[in-house]
Amino acid sequence: MKIRRAVLRELPLRLKEFFEISSGGTQARRIVLLTIEADGCEGWSECVAAETPGYSYETTETAWHMLTRWLLPALMELEGDDARALVPVPWLRGHRMARATVEMALWDLEAKRRNVALRELLGGEAESVPVGVSIGIQRTDAALIEKVGQYLAEGYRKIKIKIKPGRDVDMLGAVRASFPDAPVMADANSAYALPADLERLSAMDEFDLMMIEQPLAHDDLLDHANLQRRVETPVCLDESIRSHGDVRLALHLGSGRIVNIKPGRVGGLASSLAIHDACRDAGWPVWCGGMLESGIGRAHNVALATVPGFTLPGDISNSCRYWAEDIVFPEFQMADGLMPVPDGPGIGVNPRKERIDRLTTRVEVFEA
Ligand code: OSB
Ligand code: MG
């Protein structure tokens, strides 16, 4: 198999609601989509890099550069029987979001060449996956409590609340007082440090949270281990796990008890499966996170979440929670807290190509 064409494009998509995390907020997303064509099939993927370097050093611009200058030109030179075996520029360091963009389009392409669902190629079993919702930092506790109530009523099975210093213990206490039994967790996006915040983080033990996600620095697995020894709430790692090597170290150190796997963050689906396997062997549950993706990225996440070790609800919400109109058909819509898994070939949803073309503001084409 040889790749005929690769098309990289960027399109703006406006979130219905401003989404704030501890490092800053987003309203206008810059969506980067990749299409890879071979054997009459098209593989699709979405780059999860954000607009600003707060969650990761990668941004829309660095990913665009890595893809157009290095990854895609090299991809066009490769040949193989299985699209997933094509690995351009294997010596390139880091930039896992850019690399994942290529890798995930190749998985979709390979599934379509074999005429199977991406879920099947991944070894997934579930026909629907339990899902949750991630709520950005709200101005007031009352506004947050109203949102939590709405999402619980819609059926979401995990309510993730973004926290930062000053919007944490009291706010979570207010939520717990209103919803004593709800499946609630908190995500700090690295806003705390040891030893200064130990007391504040220990205070959260009182709220019976499902977990606290990435409380400490993205590059500090040792202090996450120190923290996990001192608090009862399970620590979940997000930013800290970028590779199979990272998760092996986290397991060795005891840096938490749960991992949020985002295929875009860890270099793709093969790396996600390796991380999943390591966690399964150690008895750590995993779940699939999200990066405010359009329906293209969401489709990959839904397929990954069918793999058996993904036992906790993912950050995989309805299309209409993010967008006035998604760029895939059909849109993602859960029922009873369960997201149906598309069963068509590959990602199983159709990119709305006319709409995507109309919205595209930047495009680069690579041809064999
Ligand atoms: O930390 O999980 C995170 C969004 C952007 C950057 C980081 C994170 C998030 C989310 C949103 O929590 C999850 C979603 O896509 O709904
Ligand atoms: Mg997170």
Side-chain angles (χ1 to χ4, degrees):
M1 182 208 57
K2 188 119 184 48
I3 305 219
R4 269 196 47 240
R5 224 159 88 97
V7 180
L8 189 71
R9 55 184 120 216
E10 178 181 335
L11 47 120
L13 218 52
R14 201 175 160 75
L15 287 166
K16 273 181 168 174
E17 273 178 32
F18 183 71
F19 188 83
E20 187 183 339
I21 70 176
S22 63
S23 58
T26 314
Q27 177 115 51
R29 289 292 341 273
R30 293 171 64 182
I31 303 283
V32 171
L33 299 179
L34 175 62
T35 316
I36 298 178
E37 302 172 22
D39 295 349
C41 298
E42 277 184 358
W44 284 78
S45 69
E46 174 172 346
C47 180
V48 302
E51 296 71 25
T52 52
Y55 173 84
S56 155
Y57 68 83
E58 291 190 82
T59 65
T60 317
E61 285 299 325
T62 69
W64 188 272
H65 172 72
M66 287 299 152
L67 284 159
T68 56
R69 167 68 180 84
W70 297 102
L71 297 166
L72 294 174
L75 177 70
M76 301 310 290
E77 302 301 318
L78 301 176
E79 253 179 274
D81 292 333
D82 185 324
R84 296 171 298 173
L86 306 183
V87 181
V89 209
W91 47 263
L92 188 148
R93 298 274 169 95
H95 297 278
R96 291 192 169 87
M97 293 178 175
R99 184 182 286 299
T101 312
V102 175
E103 201 250 17
M104 293 165 78
L106 292 171
W107 274 79
D108 182 35
L109 176 66
E110 186 60 24
K112 285 167 175 164
R113 290 176 74 223
R114 297 180 188 201
N115 199 30
V116 299
L118 178 56
R119 171 189 69 137
E120 203 177 319
L121 200 57
L122 285 161
E125 288 165 7
E127 279 166 19
S128 65
V129 294
V131 293
V133 63
S134 171
I135 307 180
I137 295 168
Q138 303 293 306
R139 282 234 172 112
T140 63
D141 293 357
L144 174 61
I145 286 165
E146 189 185 328
K147 279 223 142 58
V148 172
Q150 279 166 12
Y151 288 130
L152 286 171
E154 285 179 39
Y156 285 108
R157 298 189 180 193
K158 174 165 66 68
I159 306 288
K160 169 164 133 182
I161 298 172
K162 293 288 184 178
I163 59 171
K164 64 177 180 183
R167 302 284 294 141
D168 45 22
V169 178
D170 294 347
M171 181 177 80
L172 292 170
V175 170
R176 208 18 120 213
S178 299
F179 307 99
D181 306 315
V184 171
M185 62 168 289
D187 185 359
N189 289 106
S190 299
Y192 300 93
L194 290 189
D197 295 312
L198 180 59
E199 208 174 321
R200 208 186 265 265
L201 293 165
S202 311
M204 297 180 201
D205 276 347
E206 194 188 323
F207 305 131
D208 193 27
L209 302 175
M210 297 169 80
M211 68 196 89
I212 178 165
E213 182 175 342
Q214 196 68 39
L216 309 174
H218 70 101
D219 55 358
D220 202 336
L221 287 174
L222 190 55
D223 264 349
H224 277 98
N226 289 330
L227 176 67
Q228 184 66 93
R229 277 195 290 275
R230 288 167 176 77
V231 298
E232 278 164 33
T233 307
V235 170
C236 169
L237 298 170
D238 176 355
E239 285 92 322
S240 284
I241 305 299
R242 287 151 306 200
S243 65
H244 183 227
D246 285 342
V247 86
R248 280 156 58 217
L249 188 55
L251 291 165
H252 179 74
L253 294 172
S255 307
R257 293 189 198 132
I258 299 172
V259 175
N260 165 346
I261 301 180
K262 298 175 180 172
R265 187 192 69 223
V266 303
L269 292 164
S271 167
S272 298
L273 291 177
I275 292 168
H276 160 279
D277 292 354
C279 289
R280 179 201 53 205
D281 294 348
W284 284 24
V286 301
W287 52 282
C288 183
M291 289 291 287
L292 308 174
E293 292 97 337
S294 78
I296 303 284
R298 195 165 312 282
H300 284 271
N301 291 344
V302 169
L304 179 64
T306 62
V307 177
F310 286 78
T311 51
L312 294 164
D315 276 350
I316 302 173
S317 308
N318 289 337
S319 293
C320 67
R321 157 156 143 77
Y322 307 88
W323 320 110
E325 230 183 311
D326 205 339
I327 55 174
V328 298
F329 184 83
E331 297 203 343
F332 284 93
Q333 173 69 48
M334 62 150 188
D336 232 353
L338 294 172
M339 189 66 79
V341 182
D343 59 5
I347 58 174
V349 288
N350 301 301
R352 295 174 55 186
K353 290 187 195 171
E354 277 173 27
R355 175 140 195 273
I356 289 170
D357 279 342
R358 224 175 328 112
L359 292 172
T360 296
T361 49
R362 169 155 78 153
V363 60
E364 210 150 316
V365 179
F366 299 82
E367 273 172 332

